[in-house]
Amino acid sequence: MKYEVILIGGGPVGMMLAGELALAGVKVCVIERLKETTPYSRALTVHPRTLEILDMRGVKSQLISKGRLLSRGHFAGLETPLDFSVLDSSSNHTLFLPQSETEKVLEEWALSLGAEVWRGFEALSAHQDEDGVDVKIAGPHGETALRSAYVVGTDGARSLVRKSANISFEGTDTTFTAILGDAVLSDLAPMSVISRITEKGLVSIMPINDHIYRVLIIDMERRNVSKDEKVTLEEFRSSLIRTTGSDLGLNDVKWMSRFGNATRQAGRYRNGRLFLAGDSAHIHFPAGGQGMNVGLQEAMNLGWKLAGAIKGWAPDWLLDSYHAERFPWNTALLRNTEVQTLLLDVTPPITELRSMLANLIQIPEANYQIAAQISAMDVHYAPDAEAPSHPLNGKRFKDLRLQLKDGQLINSYPLLNKGTFLLLHFHSNEQISGGQWETYSNLQVLHASLAEADADWNDVHTALIRPDGHIAWAISLSEANPMQKINEGITRWCGDITD
C-alpha cells in the first residue's frame, strides 16, 4: 500500500487529522476536489478547547497572529454574553479568524510533517475488505485507484464515505433557513457590532476586519426559502433593510450562502476500516460557532488511535473508543444547537423566555456552565474501568506549570508537541524506575513537581496523559502499590512491548 490512511475531504478537519497521523509517522494523503484552500471565511470562531489542543501541537501561536482574541461568546444571541475569561485555561478566550486562514495553517502544518495533499481530485468510491480499502478517484488525467489500510470521511454532510460504509444519518430536516455573508458596510463605524432580534427577524453583524463584516440574517419573510436557492444581492440588501431598518451602506458582498437547521448524526462513526469525522458524522445549525471546533477535536481523538492500530501497539478496544467517546458529546452538541434555534423565534412567549434566560445567565455559575459547554471545556470521557479510581480519570488535561529537578520551570502543553503519551511522575520521595518504558516510542516520561498549587493535582502520584490531551489515568498518593498500577496502566494504554 502506498498509503496507510486516506482522508477524503481537505477542510480543517481533514487537515488536522492529516497532521495528527503524519506526526505519528503514518503515510497519509488527503483527497480534496478543490484546487486551492477555500477563499471564504465560513467558520470564524476557534473555541478555547480547540485552542488548547492546537497549543499542544505548537500551532496555536501561528493562528493567533492572524486573528483577534475575544473573551466573550453568546448562547442563541441572548443579551447577556458568555464570559470565557473565567475558564480555568491558558486559552480562556476565543479566536476570531476566517476559516480560510485556519485551513492554510493546518495544511502547512500537515505538509511539513510529511502528509500528502492531492488537490483537484474527487473521490468516486471506497470499498473495504478484510485487509484494506480501495479508493477510486478522478483527477486532471482521468481515474486512479488507491489502496490504504483505513479511510476517514472528512467530506461533509453528503459524505461518500458514510454512504459507502452504509451508515445511517438520522435526524430532522430543515424547517427554516438563514443567510450568511461577508460584506462591506460603509455606514458602520470600523469594528462595530450589531446583535438584534425583533418581530422582523434576527441579525448579527461582527467585524472580520476594519472593512468587512460577517452578517447573519434570519429574515421572517424569507425563512421558508429552500436552502438550495441561491442568495442574490437584492435579497441580501432587502433582508438587511427589514431587520435593521437600513442597508448600512452595503456596497459589496464578498460571499453569500443560505443554510438551514437540519440536524443529523451518523448512527456510528466507524464501520470496519471506514471512519467518519466532522460534518460527515453530524450536521446542525451553526449556533455558537461549534461545528468546526468539534470536528477538530474529533480529529485529535481519532488520529493517535488510528496511528496506534497501524503501528501495532494499540489494544483492540482503542479504535472502538473513538465512537464511544465522541458520540455522546456530539449528541449533546446537537441538543444545544436545537435549543438555540428554538430561542431564535420571535413570538411573544419565546421573546419572554429569551429575557428570562438572559437574566439567569447573569448568575456566574450558570454563565460558567454554558460557557464551558459551548467552548467544549466540559468534555470528559468515561474513566477507564481497568484503572484505579481517581477524580482526574478521563478529564481534559490543562496546561500545568511544572518545575523540573534542575529547577527549570516549563509549561506542560509543549511536552505534547510530538503527539505521544506523557507519563508525569510527581512523587518526590520515590525515584520511579522506568525499566523498559524508555523503549516505548509512544511514551515520554517526566519527573517533575507542580510549580503552582493546583487542588485538582494535589493527590496525584503519577498520571498518564493521552496524546489528545485527556488523562488516561491518575494514581493517588494513597495507592498501596503504585508501581504495579503504573506498569499495568502503561501496558494497557501504550501496548505490551514484550509481545
Side-chain angles (χ1 to χ4, degrees):
M1 299 180 187
K2 184 176 181 181
Y3 299 107
E4 292 168 313
V5 178
I6 293 174
L7 309 179
I8 298 178
V13 179
M15 292 305 175
M16 181 76 190
L17 184 51
E20 284 293 292
L21 291 165
L23 184 63
V26 173
K27 296 177 181 177
V28 57
C29 80
V30 180
I31 306 300
E32 171 53 52
R33 61 182 180 81
L34 296 180
K35 294 181 179 179
E36 297 179 352
T37 304
T38 180
Y40 306 122
S41 64
R42 295 190 181 276
L44 276 171
T45 303
V46 184
H47 276 305
R49 180 54 181 167
T50 307
L51 289 173
E52 284 190 339
I53 66 174
L54 294 170
D55 196 8
M56 294 172 196
R57 295 300 185 260
V59 181
K60 172 184 165 181
S61 59
Q62 189 176 355
L63 285 171
I64 286 179
S65 69
K66 299 175 180 293
R68 187 168 78 252
L69 294 177
L70 302 172
S71 63
R72 294 187 170 188
H74 74 89
F75 186 82
L78 295 177
E79 289 183 6
T80 305
L82 300 178
D83 184 5
F84 293 139
S85 69
V86 298
L87 296 173
D88 183 15
S89 171
S90 55
S91 297
N92 56 350
H93 41 245
T94 64
L95 176 64
F96 200 70
L97 180 70
Q99 179 179 321
S100 54
E101 295 297 326
T102 303
E103 280 190 24
K104 287 176 185 176
V105 170
L106 291 176
E107 181 173 5
E108 290 169 2
W109 175 63
L111 289 170
S112 72
L113 294 169
E116 293 186 27
V117 179
W118 291 33
R119 287 197 172 275
F121 289 82
E122 183 173 2
L124 302 177
S125 64
H127 297 291
Q128 65 173 319
D129 54 44
E130 291 184 1
D131 302 316
V133 186
D134 293 310
V135 178
K136 184 182 291 185
I137 63 175
H141 305 294
E143 295 184 1
T144 303
L146 300 174
R147 186 168 173 82
S148 65
Y150 297 96
V151 166
V152 184
T154 52
D155 50 344
R158 296 183 175 87
S159 174
L160 168 75
V161 176
R162 189 184 64 245
K163 295 170 185 175
S164 299
N166 294 315
I167 295 175
S168 62
F169 203 38
E170 303 158 5
T172 58
D173 292 328
T174 293
T175 60
F176 73 87
T177 59
I179 59 177
L180 197 65
D182 295 343
V184 176
L185 304 174
S186 58
D187 287 355
L188 290 182
M191 308 306 287
S192 295
V193 175
I194 294 176
S195 181
R196 184 180 303 166
I197 184 167
T198 68
E199 70 279 359
K200 299 294 185 180
L202 175 144
V203 60
S204 174
I205 300 175
M206 290 282 291
I208 295 177
N209 54 42
D210 289 343
H211 308 289
I212 301 175
Y213 290 85
R214 160 60 58 87
V215 181
L216 183 151
I217 305 173
I218 302 177
D219 183 347
M220 299 306 291
E221 287 192 19
R222 302 287 296 171
R223 72 195 306 265
N224 294 321
V225 175
S226 169
K227 69 180 183 65
D228 296 320
E229 182 176 324
K230 187 176 181 180
V231 183
T232 65
L233 179 59
E234 291 72 21
E235 178 188 10
F236 196 94
R237 187 186 303 277
S238 63
S239 290
L240 198 56
I241 292 171
R242 267 191 296 274
T243 53
T244 69
S246 165
D247 73 356
L248 303 179
L250 175 69
N251 56 44
D252 187 18
V253 180
K254 306 296 183 181
W255 168 70
M256 295 181 291
S257 178
R258 194 187 313 274
F259 61 94
N261 65 326
T263 302
R264 295 187 177 277
Q265 182 166 210
R268 47 184 169 157
Y269 290 0
R270 177 193 184 187
N271 182 356
R273 295 178 175 276
L274 302 178
F275 290 80
L276 305 175
D279 288 352
S280 68
H282 42 76
I283 59 170
H284 54 87
F285 190 81
Q290 300 169 89
M292 179 186 72
N293 290 275
V294 169
L296 294 177
Q297 293 154 28
E298 287 164 6
M300 190 80 157
N301 184 289
L302 178 59
W304 62 279
K305 297 175 180 179
L306 266 180
I310 290 166
K311 298 300 181 182
W313 60 259
D316 293 340
W317 54 267
L318 194 59
L319 276 185
D320 286 333
S321 74
Y322 169 60
H323 171 89
E325 290 183 341
R326 292 305 312 176
F327 188 86
W329 288 103
N330 292 337
T331 301
L333 161 71
L334 300 189
R335 298 296 84 84
N336 92 50
T337 56
E338 287 175 323
V339 168
Q340 291 188 72
T341 58
L342 288 175
L343 291 170
L344 298 180
D345 201 344
V346 297
T347 59
I350 296 297
T351 300
E352 181 62 24
L353 179 59
R354 288 179 60 86
S355 178
M356 291 174 61
L357 290 175
N359 287 331
L360 283 173
I361 64 173
Q362 289 180 22
I363 301 171
E365 293 80 4
N367 196 294
Y368 185 96
Q369 182 173 333
I370 297 177
Q373 182 182 36
I374 294 296
S375 63
M377 298 294 277
D378 66 342
V379 172
H380 58 275
Y381 301 132
D384 183 359
E386 300 295 322
S389 176
H390 194 283
L392 286 176
N393 290 358
K395 292 188 176 180
R396 62 173 259 275
F397 177 57
K398 59 187 175 185
D399 192 12
L400 297 175
R401 188 70 170 163
L402 302 174
Q403 183 171 359
L404 304 183
K405 286 184 176 182
D406 62 3
Q408 181 184 358
L409 298 178
I410 64 170
N411 282 6
S412 58
Y413 277 3
L415 298 171
L416 295 170
N417 282 181
K418 295 181 180 179
T420 62
F421 285 94
L422 173 64
L423 188 73
L424 283 178
H425 173 59
F426 292 112
H427 193 25
S428 59
N429 295 327
E430 178 186 66
Q431 175 58 48
I432 194 167
S433 175
Q436 57 189 4
W437 298 343
E438 281 73 16
T439 63
Y440 278 78
S441 62
N442 60 341
L443 176 64
Q444 182 182 178
V445 180
L446 184 73
H447 305 265
S449 60
L450 293 173
E452 300 171 357
D454 192 301
D456 292 338
W457 287 82
N458 285 341
D459 184 41
V460 176
H461 176 290
T462 302
L464 181 68
I465 313 304
R466 299 169 16 160
D468 61 355
H470 280 262
I471 301 164
W473 48 257
I475 303 295
S476 172
L477 289 172
S478 61
E479 174 60 46
N481 194 345
M483 296 307 300
Q484 178 184 341
K485 297 301 182 183
I486 293 168
N487 281 316
E488 291 173 352
I490 289 175
T491 299
R492 173 165 168 75
W493 281 87
C494 306
D496 188 349
I497 64 170
T498 63
D499 288 347

